[in-house]
């Protein structure tokens, strides 16, 4: 079983919330995950023309799943390297498209 770290989309049309999950690579996007690792929220306030991005995750659990061989998606790799909680060298050694 190949485990991937990827996003699962939730919320209504204009208020999306993305859960960062560890899931079997053969399952659909919003299927029940093995573990929920975090939440990524991108909110827009049209009244004040402000956007905010909130990431709430467990770095220890993400490092655990990467350590046991989970493969992150391209989007997950981009988020991890932007926030730089997880070193890029840990991601590229196991990343397979």
């Amino acid at each position: 079983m190949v485990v991937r770290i990827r996003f699962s989309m939730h919320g209504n049309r204009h208020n999306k919330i993305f859960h960062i999950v560890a899931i079997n690579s053969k399952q659909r996007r919003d299927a029940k995950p093995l573990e929920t690792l975090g939440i990524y929220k991108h909110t827009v306030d049209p009244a004040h023309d402000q956007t905010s991005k909130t990431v709430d995750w467990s770095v220890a659990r993400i490092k655990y799943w990467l350590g046991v061989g989970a493969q992150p998606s391209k989007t997950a790799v981009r988020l991890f390297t932007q926030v730089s909680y997880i070193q890029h060298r840990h991601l590229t050694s196991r990343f397979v498209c």
Side-chain angles (χ1 to χ4, degrees), residues 36-95:
T36 301
L37 305 173
I39 297 173
Y40 172 75
K41 296 179 189 176
H42 181 119
T43 57
V44 178
D45 185 9
H48 298 96
D49 289 332
Q50 296 179 350
T51 61
S52 65
K53 297 178 183 179
T54 306
V55 179
D56 181 26
W57 61 24
S58 172
V59 176
R61 294 306 297 166
I62 292 171
K63 286 184 179 182
Y64 166 78
W65 280 106
L66 291 173
V68 296
Q71 299 175 353
S73 67
K74 290 180 183 179
T75 311
V77 168
R78 190 171 355 137
L79 179 66
F80 295 159
T81 55
Q82 280 179 353
V83 179
S84 72
Y85 277 130
I86 298 173
Q87 301 294 329
H88 186 67
R89 61 184 169 82
H90 292 295
L91 299 173
T92 55
S93 63
R94 293 187 178 86
F95 180 66

Side-chain angles (χ1 to χ4, degrees), residues 22-41:
I23 193 168
N24 183 352
S25 65
K26 302 292 183 188
Q27 290 184 333
R28 63 189 191 281
R29 181 191 65 200
D30 296 332
K32 184 176 179 181
L34 298 171
E35 183 177 359
T36 301
L37 305 173
I39 297 173
Y40 172 75
K41 296 179 189 176

